[in-house]
């Protein structure tokens, strides 16, 4: 398999992973927003999930940028 097609597959998988992580983060983000609106302290686990998913998303975006740069070099 050519390197270009392999990179395109990896880019698609990375984009899908980001989408999935963002959906998961949205759940904890909603709980945090609800706590804020109701003027109550947020649940510690919701805060932790939000931080974890945010970090995972940032790492995956970094990976996506790297893969995209590599694909550009081959084009």
């Amino acid at each position: 398999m050519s390197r270009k097609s392999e990179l395109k597959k990896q880019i698609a998988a990375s984009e899908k992973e980001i989408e999935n992580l963002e959906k998961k983060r949205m759940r904890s983000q909603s709980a945090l927003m609800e706590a804020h609106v109701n003027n109550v302290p947020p649940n510690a686990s919701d805060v932790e999930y939000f931080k974890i998913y945010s970090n995972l998303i940032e790492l995956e975006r970094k990976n996506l940028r790297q893969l995209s740069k590599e694909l550009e070099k081959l084009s």
Side-chain angles (χ1 to χ4, degrees):
M1 186 179 289
S2 74
R3 182 67 180 145
K4 271 188 182 183
S5 62
E6 182 61 34
L7 283 171
K8 287 179 183 181
K9 283 184 179 183
Q10 289 177 355
I11 287 170
S14 182
E15 289 171 342
K16 184 69 174 169
E17 181 63 18
I18 290 170
E19 186 179 315
N20 290 335
L21 289 168
E22 286 175 339
K23 285 178 184 177
K24 291 177 182 178
R25 181 178 66 175
M26 186 89 59
R27 294 180 198 135
S28 59
Q29 186 176 9
S30 295
L32 293 174
M33 187 60 97
E34 183 179 357
H36 179 72
V37 168
N38 292 329
N39 206 22
V40 296
N43 186 316
S45 62
D46 290 328
V47 173
E48 192 60 29
Y49 282 128
F50 181 81
K51 288 178 181 179
I52 289 170
Y53 285 123
S54 294
N55 287 333
L56 289 172
I57 290 167
E58 187 54 40
L59 288 172
E60 194 60 43
R61 285 183 180 155
K62 186 176 181 180
N63 180 49
L64 179 60
R65 285 189 294 270
Q66 182 180 352
L67 291 170
S68 296
K69 281 183 185 179
E70 195 173 333
L71 181 61
E72 275 183 32
K73 288 179 184 178
L74 293 177
S75 297

